Amino acid sequence: MAIALDKAASAKMTIEEFFNYDDGTDAIYEFEDGNLLLMTAESEINRRIAMFLLVCFVQLGIPAYRLSMKTEIVTTGSRVRVPDLMVFSEELATAMEGAKRSTIMPEMSPPLLVVEVVSPNQSSRDYRYKRSEYGARGINEYWIVDPIAQKVTVLEWVEGFYEEQVYVGDNAIASLVFLDLKLTAAQILQGW
């Protein structure tokens, strides 16, 4: 969940200032058009869902170095997001080796998959804003896992637009990126 801050400084930050910002805490921020957005602690179900998916991807044979939680991604020139989970391509994993900051920069290839678990009062950010930002960034697949609405929305990038498929209950998730995936919406939403 992100909360807009009154900001340490009243003027808008540049992206360079964001990358150099240190408030002396372990707080995680997203960056949106010059403003810091504090990422608050996740709910237990959100944390469980993200961990469950991480384990499922490992069981699919995806090496751990290609999986990441809470890595930043520059989606546009003025926005930095922190998805719950990402799956890197081999090329991106290689580019991230030795990075001082876990940030996917614009010149790097996009992740294969981004997963956002919807937090209360954040659905418009995940369904609307991040959808267009991740599309502009060329991310092939974007999952919106919504424990509040009890659905999983899979967005697949096809010919310049995301095509949307919504899964509920025992509907098996279909993924163009992970053809061997055998998960239902209910399994994901329960987080075990």
Side-chain angles (χ1 to χ4, degrees), residues 24-182:
T25 71
D26 289 333
I28 298 172
Y29 297 94
E30 286 189 343
F31 183 70
E32 189 175 283
D33 301 326
N35 298 304
L36 291 175
L37 300 175
L38 176 64
M39 302 300 294
T40 59
E42 293 288 346
S43 70
E44 183 60 17
I45 190 63
N46 286 30
R47 187 197 64 77
R48 285 184 183 191
I49 288 169
M51 289 299 297
F52 172 77
L53 285 170
L54 180 91
V55 170
C56 289
F57 290 135
V58 168
Q59 290 173 345
L60 271 177
I62 298 167
Y65 69 88
R66 289 187 41 212
L67 298 167
S68 187
M69 298 178 84
K70 301 302 182 183
T71 291
E72 298 172 323
I73 181 168
V74 179
T75 57
T76 65
S78 62
R79 294 190 178 207
V80 178
R81 298 299 185 186
V82 185
D84 293 294
L85 177 65
M86 283 192 267
V87 179
F88 296 170
S89 65
E90 194 66 44
E91 176 186 354
L92 179 56
T94 300
M96 294 294 288
E97 283 180 15
K100 290 183 173 47
R101 184 176 178 130
S102 188
T103 304
I104 301 170
M105 301 302 288
E107 65 275 7
M108 296 174 167
S109 63
L112 297 175
L113 170 69
V114 169
V115 177
E116 293 282 2
V117 182
V118 177
S119 297
N121 303 319
Q122 297 298 314
S123 62
S124 66
R125 179 172 279 121
D126 291 330
Y127 282 101
R128 186 174 180 183
Y129 302 118
K130 290 181 182 180
R131 176 183 183 142
S132 62
E133 291 172 41
Y134 293 153
R137 187 65 174 83
I139 296 169
N140 287 331
E141 203 162 288
Y142 169 35
W143 293 9
I144 305 168
V145 180
D146 193 336
I148 300 156
Q150 288 291 293
K151 65 182 180 177
V152 177
T153 303
V154 174
L155 302 157
E156 295 171 335
W157 193 249
V158 178
E159 298 180 8
F161 296 96
Y162 275 128
E163 290 187 2
E164 176 180 308
Q165 183 65 47
V166 177
Y167 300 90
V168 296
D170 291 329
N171 293 134
I173 305 295
S175 168
L176 290 177
V177 176
F178 306 104
L179 300 175
D180 295 336
L181 186 71
K182 295 194 180 354

